[in-house]
């Protein structure tokens, strides 16, 4: 039940954030209503879920591993362990496909993310109090930690240019790190940086076609004599329907997926099982499938399939995962609710690791 509460709370948070940032997106209101009803229903329920499962003996399952359950799903703030070494994921490239309505077209994109230290020039606005005139000034060059994202349309809805963003902070932050691997824009992070400020945020740069957005916070690097500097159309994110579609597909797949339950399952043993109570039901199947090499490292993988029903929400999905890798190697699923029918398919095309 605690896991269910966590899933429900996260669902509401993400849906509310999504609703504020991309209002007008297909089906957004229905998702919010559905999520709210689920949370209200289940957070007030005190019954204990009943679980049944059966393990099928297999030779593959006899191979020992330090990691049996899936570690920290989608959370890249923690290092992964391969053998005796620790690594951080520093770069990833996804093939991303999404359908946002029943029978509608499937749009396809290439999404890249990277993070690491770099140096940038920080700018501010100097105001002459006597005349009221202001001018852009260069505060100097500083070392920062950069989160970079790039979305390239392959067969997009309306998007025909590459979208890029760079978020600069003084030091890598666990909250931002935890969302780094999301195959979508980190809307919460970007908007919090734009409108929430914060002493850790140094700057933000966004580019789509000929449109460029820049925001710098000189106070983050200790310069209090000038005000923040900004330029560009800050409504850009609300004008890109493809960005909205990517986020819609992702938030549904992430929020109502199977991820948290896998944290408590041995993914290297052939298993069929179900878990549920009243209108909450998950059925799943786990099949170990050998090893693969990603980014020069070897990972032991399993194929997972699942279906679920949570009141008015139904769906199914499948994924190939490694227990010590916080993201699926490939995953796809469908989410169906009141007036919403979304398909999402995410596949890793390239990945790079930084040894600690």
């Amino acid at each position: 039940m605690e896991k269910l509460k966590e899933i429900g709370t996260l669902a509401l948070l993400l849906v509310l954030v999504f609703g504020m940032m991309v209002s007008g997106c297909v089906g957004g209101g229905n998702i919010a209503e559905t999520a709210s009803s689920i949370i209200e229903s289940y957070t007030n329920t005190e019954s204990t879920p009943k679980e049944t499962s059966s393990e099928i003996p297999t030779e593959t399952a006899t191979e020992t591993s330090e990691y049996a359950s899936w570690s920290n799903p989608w959370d890249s703030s923690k290092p992964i362990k391969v053998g005796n070494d620790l690594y951080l994921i520093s770069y990833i490239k996804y093939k991303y496909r999404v359908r946002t309505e029943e029978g509608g077209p499937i749009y396809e994109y290439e999404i890249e993310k990277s993070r690491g230290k770099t140096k940038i020039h920080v700018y501010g606005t100097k105001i002459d109090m006597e005349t009221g005139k202001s001018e852009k000034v260069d505060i100097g060059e500083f070392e920062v930690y950069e989160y970079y994202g790039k979305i390239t349309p392959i067969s997009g809805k309306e998007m025909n240019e590459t979208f890029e963003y760079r978020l600069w902070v003084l030091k890598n932050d666990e909250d931002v790190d935890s969302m780094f691997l999301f195959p979508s824009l980190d809307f919460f992070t970007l908007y919090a940086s734009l409108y929430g400020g914060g002493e850790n945020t140094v700057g933000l740069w966004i580019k789509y076609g000929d449109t460029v957005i820049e925001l710098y916070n000189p106070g983050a690097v200790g310069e209090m004599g000038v005000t923040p500097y900004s330029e560009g159309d800050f409504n850009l994110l609300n004008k890109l329907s493809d960005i909205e579609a990517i986020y819609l597909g992702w938030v549904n797949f992430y929020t109502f997926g199977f991820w948290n339950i896998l944290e408590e399952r041995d993914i290297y043993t052939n298993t069929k099982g179900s878990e549920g109570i009243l209108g909450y039901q998950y059925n799943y199947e786990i099949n170990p499938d050998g090893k693969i090499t990603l980014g020069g490292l070897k990972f032991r993988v399993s194929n997972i399939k699942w279906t679920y029903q949570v009141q008015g929400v139904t769906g199914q999905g499948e994924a190939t995962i490694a227990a010590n890798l916080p993201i699926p190697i490939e995953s796809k699923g469908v989410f169906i609710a009141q007036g919403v029918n979304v398909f999402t398919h995410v596949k890793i095309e390239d990945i790079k690791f930084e040894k600690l």
Side-chain angles (χ1 to χ4, degrees):
M1 183 55 65
E2 289 303 316
K3 284 295 180 185
L4 181 56
K5 291 181 180 179
E6 291 173 11
I7 294 172
T9 302
L10 181 57
L12 180 59
L13 172 62
L14 291 177
V15 170
L16 289 177
V17 169
F18 173 64
M20 289 187 291
M21 298 173 187
V22 291
S23 57
C25 184
V26 179
N30 289 332
I31 297 173
E33 294 172 7
T34 302
S36 298
S37 66
I38 292 169
I39 294 161
E40 181 179 358
S41 172
Y42 287 108
T43 54
N44 294 327
T45 302
E46 297 181 356
S47 302
T48 303
K50 296 180 180 179
E51 177 187 342
T52 61
S53 64
S54 59
E55 296 184 355
I56 305 171
T58 173
E59 290 186 10
T60 307
T62 63
E63 182 178 348
T64 58
S65 173
E66 178 176 358
Y67 299 89
S69 61
W70 197 22
S71 303
N72 309 309
W74 300 101
D75 183 357
S76 56
S77 66
K78 301 174 180 62
I80 67 171
K81 187 175 183 180
V82 180
N84 295 319
D85 298 316
L86 295 177
Y87 300 86
L88 277 180
I89 299 172
S90 58
Y91 168 85
I92 192 161
K93 179 195 289 186
Y94 295 109
K95 175 73 69 66
Y96 184 98
R97 302 168 64 237
V98 62
R99 172 184 54 73
T100 58
E101 58 184 357
E102 183 177 359
I106 294 178
Y107 304 111
E108 190 170 332
Y109 308 87
E110 185 176 83
I111 298 175
E112 297 176 72
K113 296 286 193 75
S114 65
R115 59 180 172 178
K117 293 181 180 179
T118 188
K119 290 184 177 181
I120 65 166
H121 277 263
V122 177
Y123 299 91
T125 302
K126 184 177 181 180
I127 303 174
D128 186 318
M129 291 188 291
E130 296 287 339
T131 65
K133 293 182 179 181
S134 59
E135 63 176 337
K136 178 182 179 181
V137 292
D138 188 342
I139 306 302
E141 186 178 64
F142 297 87
E143 183 176 271
V144 295
Y145 198 86
E146 177 181 271
Y147 296 92
Y148 172 78
K150 180 179 180 181
I151 299 176
T152 303
I154 298 174
S155 56
K157 183 179 181 181
E158 297 175 342
M159 191 175 175
N160 53 21
E161 301 274 358
T162 295
F163 181 98
E164 296 178 88
Y165 77 89
R166 300 176 188 273
L167 173 64
W168 298 302
V169 295
L170 287 178
K171 57 183 179 180
N172 55 313
D173 178 89
E174 183 175 350
D175 291 333
V176 184
D177 265 341
S178 65
M179 294 183 283
F180 165 65
L181 293 175
F182 289 4
S184 70
L185 283 185
D186 307 331
F187 275 105
F188 181 82
T189 303
L190 293 180
Y191 271 78
S193 300
L194 281 170
Y195 302 114
E199 59 183 19
N200 192 42
T201 302
V202 178
L204 174 65
W205 176 91
I206 297 174
K207 184 177 188 298
Y208 176 73
D210 296 329
T211 302
V212 177
I213 297 173
E214 291 183 82
L215 174 68
Y216 295 93
N217 176 25
V221 293
E223 179 55 69
M224 303 302 178
V226 296
T227 63
Y229 174 80
S230 64
E231 67 174 75
D233 181 4
F234 287 86
N235 290 317
L236 173 65
L237 296 180
N238 292 322
K239 298 178 180 178
L240 296 177
S241 61
D242 289 73
I243 302 296
E244 295 176 359
I246 290 171
Y247 195 75
L248 173 65
W250 165 242
V251 76
N252 291 326
F253 193 52
Y254 173 78
T255 305
F256 292 99
F258 187 56
W259 323 120
N260 292 92
I261 291 178
L262 290 177
E263 287 188 275
E264 300 175 353
R265 302 292 175 270
D266 181 357
I267 70 164
Y268 295 135
T269 297
N270 277 355
T271 306
K272 292 183 180 180
S274 63
E275 178 176 318
I277 177 175
L278 300 177
Y280 160 70
Q281 184 70 45
Y282 274 97
N283 298 315
Y284 61 93
E285 182 177 350
I286 301 174
N287 295 296
D289 193 29
K291 295 182 179 180
I292 67 169
T293 299
L294 289 173
L297 302 177
K298 288 186 177 181
F299 295 91
R300 189 179 177 197
V301 300
S302 280
N303 296 321
I304 316 294
K305 294 182 179 180
W306 66 88
T307 61
Y308 61 85
Q309 183 179 47
V310 183
Q311 285 194 340
V313 179
T314 60
Q316 69 183 59
E318 58 186 60
T320 300
I321 67 174
N324 53 336
L325 192 66
I327 48 176
I329 291 126
E330 183 172 9
S331 56
K332 63 177 67 174
V334 63
F335 171 96
I336 302 173
Q338 301 171 3
V340 180
N341 192 312
V342 179
F343 165 77
T344 307
H345 180 193
V346 185
K347 182 180 181 180
I348 296 177
E349 291 198 318
D350 191 15
I351 191 169
K352 295 178 182 177
F353 299 95
E354 175 187 347
K355 188 174 181 180
L356 300 180

